[in-house]
């Protein structure tokens, strides 16, 4: 059984970036949600461990079963939504909502109706929903300019430099290639 066909630098880099983005982005948002809910450090550590092991195990198992690279991740928009909901939402309600959403997503995935559901959502509406959920994090970049200007400016410069030097690795390029974003 051949598990790997392409160990080229672009393929490995794309895989690394996919894992990094799918893990680190939602993790940073999760820490904000946990602070908003005043969750203990022990519980936060337990959640991060469980999510990490679950994503690793499911990614490995699905990759072996489907014979294609699969990265499983937690929901960045769902986690971002918790940041705004947690002051008025109890921990039990949040866990119940996540379990309910997981069951619905599982049923949608198993029945194969995901494509029909996604095609029924106009692209502008989907983009607006994502923008609405993630807007405060985009604005947070400008807020961070006050407290850590060197880091914020350095990140923007690094993004622009790498986009110029290695455009095939940028997320926007990948989305445009897949037809999810206009080039």
């Amino acid at each position: 059984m051949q598990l790997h066909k392409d160990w080229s630098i672009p393929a490995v880099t794309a895989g690394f970036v996919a894992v990094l983005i799918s893990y680190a982005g939602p993790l940073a948002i999760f820490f904000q949600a946990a602070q908003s809910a005043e969750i203990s450090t022990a519980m936060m550590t337990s959640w991060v461990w469980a999510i990490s092991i679950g994503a690793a195990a499911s990614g490995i198992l699905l990759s072996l079963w489907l014979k294609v690279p699969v990265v499983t991740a937690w929901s960045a928009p769902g986690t971002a939504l918790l940041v705004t909901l947690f002051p008025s939402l109890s921990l039990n309600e949040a866990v119940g909502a996540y379990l309910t959403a997981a069951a619905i997503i599982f049923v949608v995935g198993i029945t194969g109706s995901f494509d029909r559901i996604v095609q029924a959502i106009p692209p502008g509406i989907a983009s607006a929903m994502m923008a609405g959920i993630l807007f405060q994090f985009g604005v947070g970049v400008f807020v961070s300019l006050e407290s850590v200007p060197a880091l914020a400016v350095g990140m923007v410069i690094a993004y622009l430099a790498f986009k110029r030097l290695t455009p095939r690795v940028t997320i926007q390029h990948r989305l445009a290639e897949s037809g999810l974003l206009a080039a």
Side-chain angles (χ1 to χ4, degrees), residues 121-130:
I121 301 171
I125 299 293
S127 296
M129 290 168 52
M130 179 67 95

Side-chain angles (χ1 to χ4, degrees), residues 148-173:
V148 281
L151 178 63
V153 170
M155 289 172 61
V156 170
I157 290 171
Y159 167 76
L160 293 173
F162 283 109
K163 182 178 178 187
R164 177 79 173 148
L165 297 172
T166 57
R168 290 189 46 84
V169 181
T170 63
I171 298 300
Q172 288 84 355
H173 180 79

Side-chain angles (χ1 to χ4, degrees), residues 13-176:
T13 302
F16 176 74
V17 168
V19 169
L20 181 67
I21 297 296
S22 70
Y23 186 79
L27 180 63
I29 298 169
F30 170 76
F31 283 132
Q32 283 185 316
Q35 284 177 337
S36 163
E38 299 177 1
I39 294 173
S40 71
T41 304
M43 183 176 285
M44 194 176 350
T45 304
S46 172
W47 283 1
V48 170
W49 181 87
I51 291 168
S52 301
I53 297 301
S58 62
I60 290 168
L61 292 172
L62 287 170
S63 294
L64 291 172
W65 180 38
L66 300 172
K67 296 180 181 42
V68 295
V70 175
V71 176
T72 56
W74 44 13
S75 167
T79 307
L81 191 57
L82 281 180
V83 173
T84 58
L85 293 178
F86 253 142
S88 61
L89 189 71
S90 76
L91 187 57
N92 292 339
E93 291 170 326
V95 170
Y98 260 79
L99 291 174
T100 303
I104 292 168
I105 289 169
F106 179 77
V107 169
V108 167
I110 291 297
T111 61
S113 58
F114 180 75
D115 287 335
R116 290 189 306 277
I117 293 170
V118 169
Q119 289 172 353
I121 301 171
I125 299 293
S127 296
M129 290 168 52
M130 179 67 95
I133 292 170
L134 298 177
F135 177 75
Q136 69 182 12
F137 297 101
V139 171
V141 170
F142 297 102
V143 172
S144 69
L145 278 170
E146 293 177 15
S147 58
V148 281
L151 178 63
V153 170
M155 289 172 61
V156 170
I157 290 171
Y159 167 76
L160 293 173
F162 283 109
K163 182 178 178 187
R164 177 79 173 148
L165 297 172
T166 57
R168 290 189 46 84
V169 181
T170 63
I171 298 300
Q172 288 84 355
H173 180 79
R174 294 289 181 197
L175 290 173

